[in-house]
Amino acid sequence: MISLYDILEASNGQLFGEAAAQLFTGFSLDPAHAQESHLFVAIKSDFGDTHQNMSEAIQNGATGVLCSSPPEFDTENVSVIVVRDTEKAIMDWTRYALRQSTARKIAVTGTAGRTTTIAAIAAVLGTEYRVHTHTDEYHIGRLSLPLALAKMEQHVDFILVDMMADRVGELAQLMDIVQPEAVVVANIGQAYLDRFESMEHIAVEHAVTVENLPENGFAVLNYDDDRVRTLYGRTHARTMTVGIDSFGADLMAYNIVVGPSRTGFDLRAGNKRYVGNWVPQAGEMQLYCALFALSIGMHYNIPVDDALRSLTNLDPLPGRMNVFIGQNGCLIIDDTYDATPESTIAALDWLEKISDESTRLIFMFGDIDHLGEANRQAHRYIGQRAAEIADIIITEGAHAAVAGRAAQDVAAAGSGLQVYMAYSLKDAVETLTLIGDLNEQDTVLVCGGAGAQMELIVRALLPDESDHGKLTRQRELDTITIQPGRPLQPSWVEVNMELLATNVRTIKGYLGEEVAMMATVKADAYGHGAVAVSQVALQNGADYLAVASVREALELRDAGINAPILVLSYTPVYAVREALRHGITITVYDLDLARAYNKVAREMNRKLKIHVKVDSGMGRLGILPGEAVDLFRHLLTMQNLDLEGIYTHFSNADENEEYTAEQYKAFRGVLIPLRAGGIKFQYVHVANSAGMLVDRKYHHNMVRTGIAMYGYPETAIGEQIEGLQPLLTWKTVIAQVKTLPPGHYIGYGNEYITRDYERVAVIPVGYADGLRRAPVNWGNVLVHGQVAPIRGRVSMEKTVISVNHIEGVSVGDEVVLLGRQGEASITAQDVADRLETISYEVLTGVLARIPRR
């Protein structure tokens, strides 16, 4: 329970208005998760300011608000506390609450295994003492400490504290607040390297914990971790080391027996041996947690036999190598809580140990965030190790795809390793159907960072709904304390791959099984990210890919995409060798080019797949109908060209049905005599997105889907496909908010002048990012779900918007340039109408320098 007056005293806060509720059952940081009788804490974090969400928290049941800016709405029946810094205020309350308690404090730190260690210590100490544990499934970081402490009962003997270091100086502050008498340093690995300069700096951060222990304190160190072992001489407190098969450690586990759901071991403690022990957790990393707990128990005089017995009753925590029986009796290993590179490698090592020749090993891996410059290297190493162990690897996300490609690179010839890269959770699950039904011979290891939410994959694989409650989180991520890494650039694009998958399936369903779907992914998939879009499109029904150049095709091949790819545009002769090496199909429309292509293919002793393009009235690339028969007569003599397809392109299918019919007639005038002459084509494709909606006769046996796949089926005529949705959202943030006086110019050229006092905001995005400057600008953006008009000229990397009518706008608030925010939306078509152009140009105009997520 939290007392209003304790908060006021601890934080030096001030009541805003009259006191209403005086006791609160807990803190809430996320307004969506606020509960009845909670005290909502409005936080200004790196990712935004929740002061604007105070009314939402109250509507959800909060009876108190802790804020630095008082609400501008009615707060009757709500206690409002105003402080200078809300985060500091609740940490001050934490210090106050801990000082009021007579319980002894034990802290656990390290980059992995902390919560499992805390659970193990609680089990051991719980044999004789009352213990409060600091664990929270939904919050990571120091703010989880006050949230957990608010739930503490009055009379406890021990408080166990999870001390995570996610920023420089964090552990020093926590040591000062908690003042533990005992500390466990579990390990020092790769975590939050985006906030520390190096592993050495992480080690320095953790050294603070043992250096600040009192002389009568107690430190437990992991003897097997090189960086932790160096802390041995840096404390005056009593120290105990633990290790596995490490004869220099004070407490050693040996004779390890690894099983699918438990780990057996013998224990040496000084001169004593304890044989035949086990813990109900999978993997050696989990065994370290037991050793840490045994050390703490010995320090507080818990008999070792009692401690060992208590550990046998310790259930695995959600998402920490938890074992389930999945579909058709397969074994599911859930390691989705918040994996690190080290914990993932340990899980793979365990997978290797439990397997035999009859077991099919499946590794499903999601992104690990916050690795900074080590991101690519760490993911590659995981992929390389997985290739040595797994039979099937399925990755989900852009970072994890690096692991997938690394696995492909190192896989031994003939190994049979299958690697699939997905970019949505749904596609990752559905990829399993490509490998056949799961059965009792399958073991599926699922790992990923907190932001990857891989627990949703585990949920999809569990047939017994009663197991769902044993998974981690089980609700939307708390965006205050669990935040997947954002790009360093303050403007980014988010692409909803779930919507893309739905769009592709919808289009494929409209076409039917007899018509192949060519997904057009040129121009970086219309600005959506070619690699990810290609993977998702292929997994959801696309058969072929189309790009604009060999370079674009090679980007897809480098990403491990083996599907057929057609280059729609001109291919220089010097690029044909790369096309041949990588199985890329190119477009032919000129006899001299065809001869040159054939010569290169003959020199390489290979066949080059080609599609011939007919200019049926577009006036761009393509052989004219009257010249086509002569071209084909020569192509048939070129032995190194494989004539796979023929196609044309409509110029005005979205508006002019009559001209489209004329183009089709011209194309048929070429196709019919060729077929009569015995020439067969595997693929005939005429229709683009608009053309496929005008008349089904244009479908032939392949359709090129472009803009419709991205949620913009532009056509004023023909059929409509229901359910297609735009999937790209372009975002930035507020960089500055200020009120300008009357008569103040905004932007270059002094085109806009304020008529009255006007509150404006600066957003760090401009025409160098693709935000159109002239002759007409973008018009509007969205802030807090409301339309905010652009003021003055758009600059190279800055734009000013008016927020005069929008309350509570502050630095860091999210701004949407394209997409939906709340009930409001700005589509590419909306912008195109204003700019007098088409949605294609708007989407592809978001420049490649803007990171895609």
Side-chain angles (χ1 to χ4, degrees):
M1 296 289 285
I2 307 160
S3 164
L4 169 67
Y5 298 102
D6 284 350
I7 281 278
L8 289 168
E9 181 177 346
S11 66
N12 195 28
Q14 299 292 319
L15 272 174
F16 178 76
E18 298 295 325
Q22 299 184 26
L23 289 175
F24 309 99
T25 56
F27 291 110
S28 290
L29 303 181
D30 191 320
H33 301 157
Q35 298 177 23
E36 187 176 351
S37 301
H38 271 199
L39 177 64
F40 174 68
V41 183
I43 297 284
K44 292 181 180 180
S45 74
D46 294 345
F47 303 101
D49 185 352
T50 59
H51 279 78
Q52 66 197 38
N53 305 111
M54 290 187 288
S55 60
E56 178 188 350
I58 292 171
Q59 289 171 7
N60 288 336
T63 54
V65 171
L66 181 67
C67 55
S68 56
S69 302
E72 297 180 1
F73 53 85
D74 182 22
T75 57
E76 186 179 2
N77 299 321
V78 177
S79 294
V80 178
I81 308 165
V82 180
V83 295
R84 188 181 299 275
D85 182 332
T86 55
E87 186 172 336
K88 180 179 182 300
I90 58 171
M91 295 311 295
D92 286 342
W93 173 85
T94 301
R95 183 198 309 271
Y96 177 89
L98 288 171
R99 297 296 179 275
Q100 296 299 309
S101 173
T102 59
R104 307 165 88 169
K105 290 85 177 178
I106 300 174
V108 178
T109 189
T111 52
R114 297 184 312 276
T115 51
T116 303
T117 298
I118 287 175
I121 294 172
V124 170
L125 292 179
T127 60
E128 294 190 14
Y129 301 101
R130 292 163 299 179
V131 182
H132 176 75
T133 60
H134 160 210
T135 55
D136 193 294
E137 285 294 298
Y138 311 112
H139 302 88
I140 296 177
R142 67 173 183 163
L143 293 184
S144 64
L145 177 54
L147 269 67
L149 201 60
K151 304 171 187 176
M152 184 177 69
E153 297 178 0
Q154 283 190 336
H155 304 292
V156 296
D157 300 306
F158 285 93
I159 299 174
L160 307 183
V161 178
D162 177 359
M163 295 213 310
M164 186 186 87
D166 63 356
R167 67 188 81 175
V168 175
E170 182 84 342
L171 290 181
Q173 294 176 17
L174 287 172
M175 285 295 291
D176 180 59
I177 291 171
V178 178
Q179 296 186 3
E181 64 178 51
V183 167
V184 174
V185 185
N187 43 56
I188 299 175
Q190 298 179 83
Y192 291 99
L193 278 170
D194 56 342
R195 303 177 189 181
F196 291 92
E197 291 185 22
S198 66
M199 291 290 294
E200 287 65 33
H201 284 83
I202 296 177
V204 169
E205 180 74 14
H206 284 80
V208 169
T209 59
V210 296
E211 290 171 346
N212 285 276
L213 279 172
E215 288 190 12
N216 62 346
F218 181 52
V220 181
L221 305 179
N222 184 341
Y223 187 83
D224 296 337
D225 187 301
D226 293 340
R227 290 186 173 88
V228 175
R229 193 168 59 250
T230 62
L231 304 182
Y232 188 86
R234 302 183 68 166
T235 180
H236 297 292
R238 177 182 171 231
T239 304
M240 179 178 287
T241 58
V242 306
I244 295 176
D245 291 326
S246 301
F247 285 94
D250 298 315
L251 196 66
M252 181 183 73
Y254 62 102
N255 292 339
I256 311 301
V257 179
V258 175
S261 59
R262 55 195 283 179
T263 304
F265 65 101
D266 293 336
L267 179 70
R268 180 183 65 79
N271 295 324
K272 295 184 178 180
R273 301 291 189 273
Y274 302 84
V275 299
N277 311 294
W278 61 276
V279 290
Q281 281 91 34
E284 288 187 2
M285 179 167 275
Q286 307 296 310
L287 187 54
Y288 281 106
C289 303
L291 294 175
F292 297 140
L294 291 169
S295 298
I296 291 292
M298 293 171 65
H299 180 70
Y300 290 105
N301 300 314
I302 303 292
V304 174
D305 287 328
D306 291 349
L308 287 166
R309 194 176 304 110
S310 71
L311 292 174
T312 63
N313 298 317
L314 182 61
D315 292 330
L317 294 178
R320 286 82 153 184
M321 295 295 285
N322 212 348
V323 181
F324 296 100
I325 300 300
Q327 296 174 3
N328 302 320
C330 70
L331 200 65
I332 306 290
I333 313 302
D334 175 16
D335 194 32
T336 61
Y337 175 68
D338 194 20
T340 66
E342 289 83 3
S343 70
T344 303
I345 294 298
L348 285 168
D349 291 343
W350 168 86
L351 189 64
E352 183 178 39
K353 289 178 180 178
I354 68 158
S355 64
D356 56 41
E357 293 183 359
S358 65
T359 304
R360 185 171 62 165
L361 303 179
I362 302 169
F363 178 49
M364 302 190 72
F365 177 53
D367 294 348
I368 298 176
D369 288 309
H370 304 300
L371 294 177
E373 293 182 358
N375 193 318
R376 187 172 185 83
Q377 180 182 358
H379 282 87
R380 279 193 61 82
Y381 181 64
I382 289 169
Q384 291 165 354
R385 181 66 179 123
E388 299 171 350
I389 298 168
D391 299 301
I392 297 166
I393 298 173
I394 301 172
T395 68
E396 194 284 314
H399 299 325
V402 173
R405 292 193 285 273
Q408 289 177 324
D409 291 343
V410 303
S415 66
L417 174 67
Q418 301 175 57
V419 180
Y420 304 90
M421 285 163 278
Y423 290 85
S424 73
L425 294 169
K426 185 173 183 179
D427 278 353
V429 173
E430 292 189 353
T431 297
L432 286 172
T433 63
L434 300 175
I435 64 177
D437 292 337
L438 296 173
N439 57 62
E440 293 179 352
Q441 301 303 313
D442 292 326
T443 297
V444 185
L445 171 63
V446 188
C447 294
Q453 293 188 277
M454 297 292 283
E455 68 273 8
L456 299 180
I457 288 180
V458 178
R459 183 187 179 98
L461 298 178
L462 297 179
D464 187 347
E465 292 188 3
S466 65
D467 286 335
H468 293 178
K470 301 174 185 176
L471 302 180
T472 186
R473 283 176 284 276
Q474 289 295 290
R475 70 183 189 191
E476 188 177 339
L477 284 179
D478 188 312
T479 54
I480 296 297
T481 56
I482 303 177
Q483 183 66 240
R486 270 191 186 175
L488 295 179
Q489 190 161 326
S491 175
W492 67 96
V493 165
E494 296 176 0
V495 181
N496 189 325
M497 292 301 172
E498 298 285 359
L499 288 181
L500 173 63
T502 300
N503 288 352
V504 172
R505 289 195 296 269
T506 300
I507 294 170
K508 182 63 177 176
Y510 172 77
L511 295 176
E513 290 302 318
E514 301 302 317
V515 179
M517 178 178 173
M518 178 181 282
T520 306
V521 294
K522 62 182 180 178
D524 198 30
Y526 294 28
H528 293 71
V531 171
V533 166
S534 297
Q535 294 277 20
V536 173
L538 290 167
Q539 289 165 352
N540 287 278
D543 306 282
Y544 221 113
L545 301 174
V547 297
S549 67
V550 171
R551 185 199 64 79
E552 288 187 346
L554 290 179
E555 179 188 0
L556 302 182
R557 288 288 186 253
D558 289 344
I561 296 173
N562 298 316
I565 303 173
L566 171 65
V567 176
L568 295 170
S569 194
Y570 162 66
T571 299
V573 176
Y574 59 78
V576 172
R577 288 177 175 82
E578 289 301 312
L580 283 162
R581 289 189 186 100
H582 296 278
I584 298 165
T585 307
I586 63 176
T587 293
V588 168
Y589 47 84
D590 177 88
L591 180 56
D592 289 339
L593 275 178
R595 285 170 172 159
Y597 294 164
N598 185 65
K599 180 176 180 291
V600 173
R602 185 173 63 248
E603 291 170 352
M604 295 184 67
N605 194 28
R606 296 189 183 187
K607 277 202 168 188
L608 176 68
K609 285 188 176 182
I610 63 169
H611 286 208
V612 174
K613 184 174 184 181
V614 177
D615 179 4
S616 60
M618 181 78 170
R620 297 189 317 188
L621 287 182
I623 187 76
L624 291 171
E627 303 170 0
V629 173
D630 185 59
L631 173 64
F632 276 98
R633 185 167 60 247
H634 286 89
L635 288 177
L636 292 176
T637 68
M638 300 179 191
Q639 299 300 310
N640 291 87
L641 296 186
D642 180 2
L643 185 56
E644 183 184 68
I646 184 171
Y647 72 105
T648 192
H649 189 63
F650 294 141
S651 64
N652 201 18
D654 57 335
E655 295 179 337
N656 193 327
E657 193 169 0
E658 290 183 5
Y659 188 71
T660 300
E662 288 180 20
Q663 280 194 260
Y664 185 62
K665 181 179 179 181
F667 178 73
R668 293 271 294 171
V670 173
L671 183 62
I672 290 173
L674 291 175
R675 282 177 166 170
I679 299 177
K680 296 181 180 180
F681 300 98
Q682 183 177 348
Y683 294 112
V684 177
H685 46 111
V686 175
N688 54 4
S689 288
M692 77 172 174
L693 299 173
V694 174
D695 196 320
R696 286 183 178 267
K697 70 183 179 183
Y698 299 152
H699 290 186
H700 283 272
N701 68 347
M702 178 181 274
V703 166
R704 299 184 306 277
T705 54
I707 198 70
M709 192 170 71
Y710 304 105
Y712 292 94
E714 291 186 345
T715 179
I717 56 179
E719 299 179 341
Q720 298 294 325
I721 301 179
E722 296 297 328
L724 300 183
Q725 298 184 61
L727 44 125
L728 183 147
T729 301
W730 185 10
K731 295 181 178 181
T732 186
V733 294
I734 300 292
Q736 184 185 15
V737 181
K738 58 187 175 183
T739 299
L740 299 178
H744 198 292
Y745 290 112
I746 296 177
Y748 287 114
N750 295 351
E751 286 188 355
Y752 183 85
I753 185 171
T754 59
R755 296 181 178 179
D756 203 339
Y757 286 97
E758 186 170 1
R759 194 165 76 257
V760 299
V762 181
I763 56 176
V765 61
Y767 60 77
D769 305 300
L771 190 69
R772 180 78 74 84
R773 173 185 179 274
V776 180
N777 68 31
W778 208 260
N780 303 297
V781 300
L782 301 178
V783 179
H784 293 188
Q786 299 182 58
V787 173
I790 292 173
R791 295 298 193 220
R793 289 183 184 173
V794 173
S795 300
M796 183 179 290
E797 80 297 334
K798 287 182 283 291
T799 300
V800 178
I801 59 175
S802 176
V803 293
N804 216 39
H805 58 298
I806 305 173
E807 294 183 357
V809 178
S810 60
V811 172
D813 287 357
E814 181 183 273
V815 179
V816 169
L817 310 170
L818 269 181
R820 177 171 293 278
Q821 190 183 62
E823 297 300 316
S825 68
I826 298 176
T827 69
Q829 189 58 53
D830 293 335
V831 176
D833 291 342
R834 176 178 171 82
L835 301 181
E836 297 184 356
T837 183
I838 56 176
S839 58
Y840 302 72
E841 182 181 356
V842 174
L843 293 170
T844 59
V846 183
L847 299 186
R849 83 187 198 114
I850 303 298
R852 267 66 174 172
R853 296 177 60 190

